[in-house]
Amino acid sequence: MEDMDLYLKKHDEVLYHYDIDDHVRELARKYGFLEYMVERYLNIFGSDAEIFMKSCSAQLKRSLRCNTLRTDCKKLEDRMNERGFKLSKVSWTRYGYVVENTPVRPTLGSTLEYMKGYYYIQGLASMIPPEVLSPSEDDLVLDMAASPGGKTSQLAQLMGNRGVIVALEKNTARLRRLNSNLARLGVANTITVPIPGDYVSSIGIKFDSVLLDSPCSGEGLLPVDPSRRTKTLPQHLREFQRVQLSLLIAGIRSLRKGGKLVYSTCSIAPEENEVIVNFAVEKFGLRTEEIRGIPADPGLVEYKGVRFSEDIKKCIRLYPHKHGTEGFFVCSMRKE
Ligand code: SAM
């Protein structure tokens, strides 16, 4: 852990120093964000920062994933159509649909089809990590932070309910929610374990692939949760970084040689993303892999003067104003 502390300390002064001038103050007042967040948006988006902040007030289209463990997608489309929902298929994700039209009743979360597990209500960007991990049907897969189970159940779907998924969740109330979702969705290849993800490396099992959909500030969820404009303070980001790095280290240690690890967050803060995966590249020699076929921006190779490995540009970033999704980060890495 000494390495991790040194690494975080090395970047701490630059990352947590903010240049707050009158322009930043004015934008923060205008859009209701914390000033340090506005400074970040100016750093990342330049003159598009305002477009981004405005887009956080627009409603995102709702989306769902058709669950082929329970139904045929054509049948789902027809049944939802009869109920007054209009679903349109998203080309870049295998089972994702945008909900274009919703009746007054039933709501998306109270249809018979929902209860029967024919679909899972899931953000489009959140469907990317399991598809990028793309486990095969006989893999042993580790899902390090699993509840409420959107990605665990998607992994099970991609594996045709074969192989084995070990899904960890340290929060027991959330573990119950995970188990209930997995049951509703017909997942039969998953063992859920109530332990913190960082304990897993001490067990000594090596997995073929690892998903770390990490606990994070959730800053990418700004369009669905306005409270996030003022919720996360810099000291919270520091706490998230420590959890993220210790989970990532445990994930790498639990991955077999040649295996793939996908790191994702619903945050657009480089502190929780590029800074974290750059550690895996620099200290553990993981190789990032290209993510093809998804409309997205590349990972940042520089932020506030901190340079990351050139390889980090193979990671992807998604934004509401550019990609019509929640803010998201995904990075695919291979252990050599
Ligand atoms: N992958 C989930 C999905 O797609 O539905 C979302 C995961 S959410 C971003 C992060 C989860 O990690 C939360 O349920 C949280 O309780 C859990 N968590 C937080 N710290 C953890 C830890 N050290 N080990 C395992 N899970 C943890």
Side-chain angles (χ1 to χ4, degrees):
M1 289 300 147
E2 197 185 321
D3 249 11
M4 171 177 124
D5 290 331
L6 281 176
Y7 177 78
L8 288 178
K9 209 164 164 209
K10 189 171 92 185
H11 297 307
D12 195 88
E13 217 166 281
V14 182
L15 291 176
Y16 292 93
H17 169 83
Y18 304 104
D19 283 322
I20 310 293
D21 58 17
D22 285 347
H23 182 49
V24 171
R25 273 187 215 102
E26 189 198 317
L27 290 175
R29 249 196 319 274
K30 184 168 171 191
Y31 292 100
F33 288 92
L34 294 177
E35 289 169 353
Y36 90 91
M37 293 167 80
V38 174
E39 193 241 35
R40 162 181 308 132
Y41 304 144
L42 287 166
N43 266 307
I44 298 179
F45 302 119
S47 56
D48 280 353
E50 273 205 79
I51 300 177
F52 165 75
M53 287 188 276
K54 264 187 209 150
S55 77
C56 293
S57 300
Q59 272 218 322
L60 281 182
K61 283 189 178 168
R62 299 197 77 188
S63 50
L64 59 81
R65 170 174 51 85
C66 161
N67 175 28
T68 50
L69 295 178
R70 288 287 199 210
T71 190
D72 169 66
C73 293
K74 178 73 179 79
K75 186 170 145 194
L76 174 68
E77 282 177 43
D78 292 345
R79 288 181 68 147
M80 294 300 277
N81 202 18
E82 281 164 25
R83 293 197 188 279
F85 293 92
K86 188 175 178 310
L87 304 186
S88 77
K89 180 78 191 69
V90 177
S91 61
W92 50 265
T93 172
R94 271 173 81 183
Y95 303 109
Y97 288 83
V98 165
V99 184
E100 303 281 3
N101 197 50
T102 314
V104 180
R105 285 224 160 72
T107 59
L108 199 55
S110 66
T111 63
L112 183 63
E113 288 71 22
Y114 177 81
M115 290 171 206
K116 285 184 157 187
Y118 288 6
Y119 61 89
Y120 186 82
I121 303 168
Q122 189 170 356
L124 287 176
S126 148
M127 298 178 201
I128 297 170
E131 288 198 18
V132 170
L133 194 65
S134 185
S136 71
E137 292 195 343
D138 48 12
D139 271 359
L140 176 60
V141 179
L142 174 66
D143 184 349
M144 298 187 74
S147 185
K151 297 181 193 68
T152 317
S153 55
Q154 190 179 351
L155 288 168
Q157 174 176 5
L158 296 172
M159 295 165 80
N161 248 343
R162 298 192 185 82
V164 175
I165 302 172
V166 176
L168 313 181
E169 173 55 54
K170 78 165 193 180
N171 177 319
T172 43
R174 288 181 64 90
L175 186 82
R176 279 195 291 279
R177 206 167 146 212
L178 169 67
N179 287 334
S180 129
N181 275 330
L182 298 185
R184 182 175 62 82
L185 295 161
V187 171
N189 67 344
T190 298
I191 303 160
T192 61
V193 190
I195 58 165
D198 24 339
Y199 286 15
V200 70
S201 50
S202 58
I203 300 168
I205 299 174
K206 296 286 182 200
F207 292 84
D208 297 306
S209 49
V210 174
L211 174 64
L212 173 52
D213 183 43
S214 189
C216 69
S217 66
E219 195 179 328
L221 302 177
L222 284 161
V224 285
D225 179 5
S227 76
R228 312 241 173 199
R229 291 174 191 225
T230 51
K231 193 171 171 184
T232 308
L233 301 174
Q235 66 258 35
H236 300 138
L237 275 186
R238 280 199 178 94
E239 286 158 20
F240 278 121
Q241 281 193 306
R242 293 192 62 77
V243 174
Q244 287 152 352
L245 262 186
S246 64
L247 285 171
L248 181 60
I249 292 168
I252 295 170
R253 292 195 171 132
S254 307
L255 184 66
R256 71 161 168 80
K257 266 196 179 165
K260 192 196 271 191
L261 185 149
V262 170
Y263 177 89
S264 57
T265 68
C266 55
S267 167
I268 58 168
E271 293 88 330
E272 303 185 86
N273 294 314
E274 283 85 351
V275 172
I276 305 301
V277 294
N278 188 59
F279 184 82
V281 172
E282 277 185 2
K283 304 284 176 194
F284 285 88
L286 262 65
R287 194 167 42 77
T288 56
E289 293 192 326
E290 212 80 57
I291 297 174
R292 296 205 166 80
I294 292 167
D297 276 15
L300 305 176
V301 289
E302 200 233 302
Y303 178 65
K304 291 177 81 151
V306 176
R307 286 221 51 97
F308 309 117
S309 156
E310 276 297 305
D311 270 14
I312 301 297
K313 63 173 175 253
K314 292 184 191 156
C315 311
I316 57 172
R317 299 184 138 254
L318 289 97
Y319 305 115
H321 67 301
K322 283 185 145 180
H323 311 106
T325 67
E326 64 274 33
F328 220 84
F329 177 87
V330 186
C331 196
S332 176
M333 292 171 276
R334 183 76 63 179
K335 185 168 173 178
E336 309 258 73

